[in-house]
Amino acid sequence: MTEESTKTLIPVLPPRKLSSIPKPKWHPPWKLFRVISGHLGWVRSLTVEPGNHWFATGSADRVIKIWDLASGKLRLSLTGHISAVRGLAVSSRHPYLFSCGEDKQVKCWDLEYNKVIRHYHGHLSAVYSLALHPTIDVLITCGRDSTARVWDMRSKANVHTLSGHTNTVSQVVCQSSEPQIITGSHDCTIRLWDLAAGKSITSLTNHKKSVRTLVFHPKLYMFASGSPDNIKQWKCPDGKFVQNLSGHNAIVNCLAANSDGVFVSGSDNGTLFLWDWKSGYNFQRIQAPVQPGSMESEAGIFSCCFDQSGTRLITTEADKTIKIYREDETATEESHPINWKPEIFKRQRY
């Protein structure tokens, strides 16, 4: 046997496959920028208008307040609900604000006259969430009667009643691509709906506890759900499971994501977790300070969202305040390095 032939017998090992877990993108830390007070009860709901000039909050004091986004000053108070206001949305195509509450009412406010111009009657119990379709004049509401309802914005007709959940439907979100409607419920399931047929396409049963909140990613064709067991990310259109984000040891009430890949979750004990969307790395935890004069037990975040630019984060809380956070502009990768080690067992499914 020649030396040449022995060389060929040595098996060539394939190159070692490197970990497929992406290194998280670096995000600057966020810090509290402004605290706004004015409500007399828990602040339960929030929406930022499409022009990014103002935002609206709804509270257990039954009042909807409209605030200037730049200055934090109160512009207007709208009264009419007779119980806590749980959901708000501003139309991008009409001067309308929609609200829903624990009084079973769904209202359409004309912002040129600051008056209620339409009521949508049909829910049998408290209405917890509403969403507007981005391209057609349709409004979707959901609540404690275990249904989500699709309304024609103009005629007030109840086009579809989406039934199938067996407990309170806590949140509904809507997008222009399929699935156009997704609901999360206290029955621990998430349902994806066919808007045209008014039927459920898929039911996702991965969560073991009630699903309180849902959010679409503004750019990726994905969504996330929050529950006391953990936060899960999913791919549209069929709800393919992507990954778990765990760390909260409290009920997650709200989620928000911006196009920069910052993903935020707020919980019942007043903690705000900031994650890198793609890798699921938790890069910051903030304990929201309670207002002086409030009890510690009033630390609780009920809703959160980014403004239209994604540079300000607004939260509404149990201490009756609204808090605005911003990125720390002085932070650098050197001053706030990523303390990240790849987890061998975490399988990435992108």
Side-chain angles (χ1 to χ4, degrees), residues 258-279:
N258 72 7
S259 47
D260 226 18
V262 178
F263 179 39
V264 178
S265 54
S267 75
D268 246 11
N269 60 5
T271 55
L272 204 58
F273 279 41
L274 290 96
W275 316 78
D276 174 47
W277 177 282
K278 196 116 185 173
S279 63

Side-chain angles (χ1 to χ4, degrees), residues 66 75-79 109-116:
I66 291 180
R75 282 193 181 186
L76 189 66
S77 290
L78 301 173
T79 54
W109 305 78
D110 186 319
L111 294 170
E112 286 169 350
Y113 301 98
N114 300 326
K115 285 195 173 75
V116 176

Side-chain angles (χ1 to χ4, degrees), residues 36-73:
I36 301 170
S37 46
H39 277 295
L40 303 174
W42 286 359
V43 192
R44 300 294 315 228
S45 51
L46 164 71
T47 186
V48 180
E49 63 99 15
N52 217 30
H53 297 301
W54 52 267
F55 66 96
T57 55
S59 162
D61 64 8
R62 312 188 293 280
V63 180
I64 298 164
K65 288 183 183 283
I66 291 180
W67 311 87
D68 189 79
L69 188 57
S71 68
K73 298 262 188 317

Side-chain angles (χ1 to χ4, degrees), residues 132-337:
L132 293 172
H133 194 286
T135 53
I136 53 179
D137 286 349
V138 156
L139 164 71
I140 302 99
T141 57
C142 67
R144 209 160 56 201
D145 60 6
S146 308
T147 67
R149 290 169 192 264
V150 180
W151 310 88
D152 181 311
M153 199 185 279
R154 285 206 168 76
S155 71
K156 304 180 286 191
N158 188 176
V159 184
H160 294 304
T161 299
L162 308 178
S163 49
H165 283 296
T166 55
N167 205 328
T168 299
V169 186
S170 50
Q171 178 131 43
V172 57
V173 289
C174 195
Q175 63 179 2
S176 50
S177 47
E178 294 298 334
Q180 293 180 53
I181 300 171
I182 303 178
T183 53
S185 166
H186 290 196
D187 65 9
C188 312
T189 68
I190 298 161
R191 280 179 183 257
L192 282 52
W193 302 87
D194 179 332
L195 175 57
K199 289 197 168 63
S200 172
I201 312 166
T202 320
S203 179
L204 308 175
T205 56
N206 306 42
H207 278 292
K208 296 292 165 272
K209 293 190 175 169
S210 59
V211 180
R212 302 290 176 110
T213 175
L214 298 165
V215 70
F216 282 118
H217 189 283
K219 279 188 175 163
L220 305 171
Y221 194 29
M222 292 177 72
F223 69 97
S225 57
S227 159
D229 56 359
N230 50 31
I231 297 161
K232 295 180 190 291
Q233 289 176 336
W234 315 83
K235 267 189 174 159
C236 298
D238 46 6
K240 182 170 171 278
F241 175 74
V242 177
Q243 65 180 346
N244 271 327
L245 308 183
S246 48
H248 272 292
N249 49 1
I251 293 170
V252 178
N253 286 325
C254 55
L255 297 172
N258 72 7
S259 47
D260 226 18
V262 178
F263 179 39
V264 178
S265 54
S267 75
D268 246 11
N269 60 5
T271 55
L272 204 58
F273 279 41
L274 290 96
W275 316 78
D276 174 47
W277 177 282
K278 196 116 185 173
S279 63
Y281 170 66
N282 176 207
F283 69 87
Q284 191 182 3
R285 298 183 178 191
I286 302 170
Q287 175 67 50
V290 294
Q291 273 296 87
S294 301
M295 295 175 287
E296 284 300 319
S297 61
E298 288 189 310
I301 300 167
F302 290 123
S303 67
C304 63
C305 78
F306 285 99
D307 72 343
Q308 304 297 346
S309 66
T311 57
R312 283 172 287 201
L313 171 70
I314 309 167
T315 64
T316 69
E317 315 210 356
D319 64 358
K320 309 183 179 81
T321 67
I322 298 141
K323 296 187 173 75
I324 301 182
Y325 294 84
R326 273 178 150 169
E327 284 185 344
D328 184 349
E329 283 155 9
T330 59
T332 61
E333 283 199 59
E334 285 69 45
S335 67
H336 292 79

